């Protein structure tokens, strides 16, 4: 990856951006979530993150990754149909997600082989169970990531932090096998370009982009774990804890409240933090969206630091993950009460 390649990525992004902007293609005109109405200009943001990352992946990734390329193409198309409201039924989308992810896991021989527990590892030795478990983890990540694509820069910024973590441990620990190094660098540079426009509310990932980036990162981290047995599997879990727990927490919350699991709502943590900051009137409305993203990303910095310092200390990593889950739940409870969400 050199400066010429980075320039090529920037040119590709700008060509797509101005073409879509001129033709009003894939504009985000949704107004379901209140926090998405702030910080926007009169022009609707463009949902181009997915198509940009798809083009980059197809043309800049190794041809050996044909299964991955086909998978992200299919998962992007599924998200695109959701963005255009052609496939609005979430149950149907989840079914197609599972089919796509199952095919990717099977044909690329993607698997999770070690959870550092004798009985769990015995279960993972069973091919059928392993495929089921791996697809389950990827599906949780994909849908949790989609929940986060409402605030400017939140999801793209979070995945940039993950890639930076992998780069950091590669430079600071011996015998780290940085698999797909070129692809990782391409993805990192692409996300930086996108993040700059995303944080200012000019572009979004959308469902297509969220599905795609989560699938890419999930695929990479599982392969990374397979290639680096000295790294605890809970290091990967620590990097992915937020989108994964966002999904699991949201499902649990809806079940407890007896709400439809498949129905969207405005009660995700990032939405409540946005509303809380808005209620304090400490910032101009147009900056609230991006500011809230930066607050949440900052809150996540400690877990990334601890994970990168303790890559082979599973117990410490598990305690850290559980601590941040507790912190998430505590913050959610306090803000919900402050905003009277449950009333």
């Amino acid at each position: 990856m050199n400066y010429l390649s980075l320039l090529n990525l920037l040119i590709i992004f700008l060509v797509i951006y101005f073409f879509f902007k001129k033709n009003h293609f894939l504009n985000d005109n949704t107004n379901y979530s209140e926090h998405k109405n702030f910080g926007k200009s009169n022009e609707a943001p463009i949902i181009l993150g997915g198509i940009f990352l798809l083009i980059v992946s197809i043309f800049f990734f190794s041809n050996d990754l044909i299964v991955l390329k086909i998978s992200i193409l299919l998962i992007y198309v599924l998200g695109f149909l959701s963005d255009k409201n052609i496939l609005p039924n979430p149950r149907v989308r989840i079914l197609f997600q599972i089919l796509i992810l199952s095919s990717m896991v099977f044909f690329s021989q993607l698997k999770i082989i070690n959870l550092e527990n004798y009985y769990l590892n015995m279960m993972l030795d069973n091919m059928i169970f392993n495929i089921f478990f791996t697809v389950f983890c990827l599906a949780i990540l994909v849908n949790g990531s989609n929940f986060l694509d409402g605030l400017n820069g939140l999801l793209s910024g979070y995945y940039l932090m993950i890639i930076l973590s992998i780069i950091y441990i590669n430079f600071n620990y011996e015998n780290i096998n940085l698999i797909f190094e070129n692809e990782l660098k391409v993805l990192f540079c692409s996300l930086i370009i996108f993040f700059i426009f995303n944080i200012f509310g000019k572009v979004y990932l959308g469902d297509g982009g969220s599905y795609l980036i989560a699938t890419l990162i999930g695929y990479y981290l599982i392969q990374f774990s397979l290639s680096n047995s000295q790294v605890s599997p809970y290091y990967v879990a620590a990097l992915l804890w937020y989108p994964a727990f966002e999904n699991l927490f949201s499902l649990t919350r809806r079940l407890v409240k007896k709400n439809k699991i498949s129905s969207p709502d405005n009660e995700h943590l990032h939405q409540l933090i946005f509303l809380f900051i808005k209620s304090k009137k400490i910032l101009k409305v147009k900056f609230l969206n991006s500011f809230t993203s930066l607050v949440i990303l900052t809150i996540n910095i400690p877990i990334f630091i601890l994970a990168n310092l303790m890559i082979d200390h599973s117990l410490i990593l598990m305690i850290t993950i559980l601590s941040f889950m507790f912190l998430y739940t505590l913050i959610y409870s306090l803000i919900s009460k402050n905003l009277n969400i449950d009333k």
Side-chain angles (χ1 to χ4, degrees), residues 94-283:
I94 290 175
L95 176 61
F96 278 112
Q97 279 181 23
I98 292 172
L99 289 173
I100 295 168
L101 294 174
S102 297
S103 299
M104 181 183 77
V105 167
F106 179 79
F107 288 110
S108 63
Q109 298 183 339
L110 197 66
K111 53 189 173 182
I112 298 170
I113 61 172
N114 180 28
L115 292 176
E116 298 193 350
N117 179 280
Y118 175 76
Y119 298 103
L120 290 176
N121 286 350
M122 281 186 62
M123 296 173 69
L124 290 174
D125 287 338
N126 180 282
M127 185 183 72
I128 302 300
F129 178 82
N130 199 302
I131 291 174
F132 172 82
F133 181 73
T134 304
V135 170
F136 173 79
C137 292
L138 287 170
I140 290 292
L141 177 64
V142 167
N143 289 285
S145 297
N146 191 39
F147 288 157
L148 302 185
D149 185 46
L151 292 178
N152 302 335
L154 179 56
L155 187 59
S156 56
Y158 190 84
Y159 279 127
L160 276 173
M161 290 168 65
I162 289 177
I163 297 175
L164 276 173
S165 295
I166 298 298
I167 294 172
Y168 171 82
I169 67 169
N170 178 60
F171 278 107
N172 289 275
Y173 292 90
E174 294 182 357
N175 303 318
I176 294 295
N177 180 16
L178 192 62
I179 61 167
F180 310 134
E181 182 174 356
N182 177 68
E183 286 76 13
L184 189 67
K185 291 178 179 178
V186 167
L187 187 57
F188 178 68
C189 293
S190 301
L191 276 177
I192 286 180
I193 294 170
F194 177 82
F195 177 79
I196 293 171
F197 282 77
N198 189 204
I199 198 71
F200 289 106
K202 299 298 182 181
V203 294
Y204 281 169
L205 282 165
D207 289 356
S210 301
Y211 291 177
L212 187 150
I213 187 59
T215 303
L216 276 177
I217 294 294
Y219 176 93
Y220 180 85
L221 287 181
I222 293 174
Q223 293 284 23
F224 177 82
S225 182
L226 286 170
S227 302
N228 294 277
S229 58
Q230 74 275 29
V231 177
S232 169
Y234 297 100
Y235 171 74
V236 172
L239 297 186
L240 297 174
W241 87 275
Y242 179 35
F245 189 67
E246 174 68 45
N247 192 357
L248 294 172
F249 184 86
S250 298
L251 292 175
T252 304
R253 169 173 55 80
R254 291 172 184 178
L255 286 172
V256 170
K257 290 186 174 183
K258 297 181 179 179
N259 294 336
K260 270 189 170 184
I261 292 178
S262 57
S263 299
D265 60 36
N266 293 323
E267 298 182 22
H268 297 293
L269 179 63
H270 63 276
Q271 294 168 323
L272 299 192
I273 292 177
F274 170 87
L275 293 174
F276 177 78
I277 295 174
K278 174 175 174 279
S279 69
K280 300 305 177 181
K281 299 179 180 180
I282 58 176
L283 203 66

Side-chain angles (χ1 to χ4, degrees), residues 158 161-162 165 238-239 241 300-309:
Y158 190 84
M161 290 168 65
I162 289 177
S165 295
L239 297 186
W241 87 275
N300 274 282
I301 288 176
I303 193 171
F304 279 88
I305 292 175
L306 286 169
N308 290 323
L309 293 176

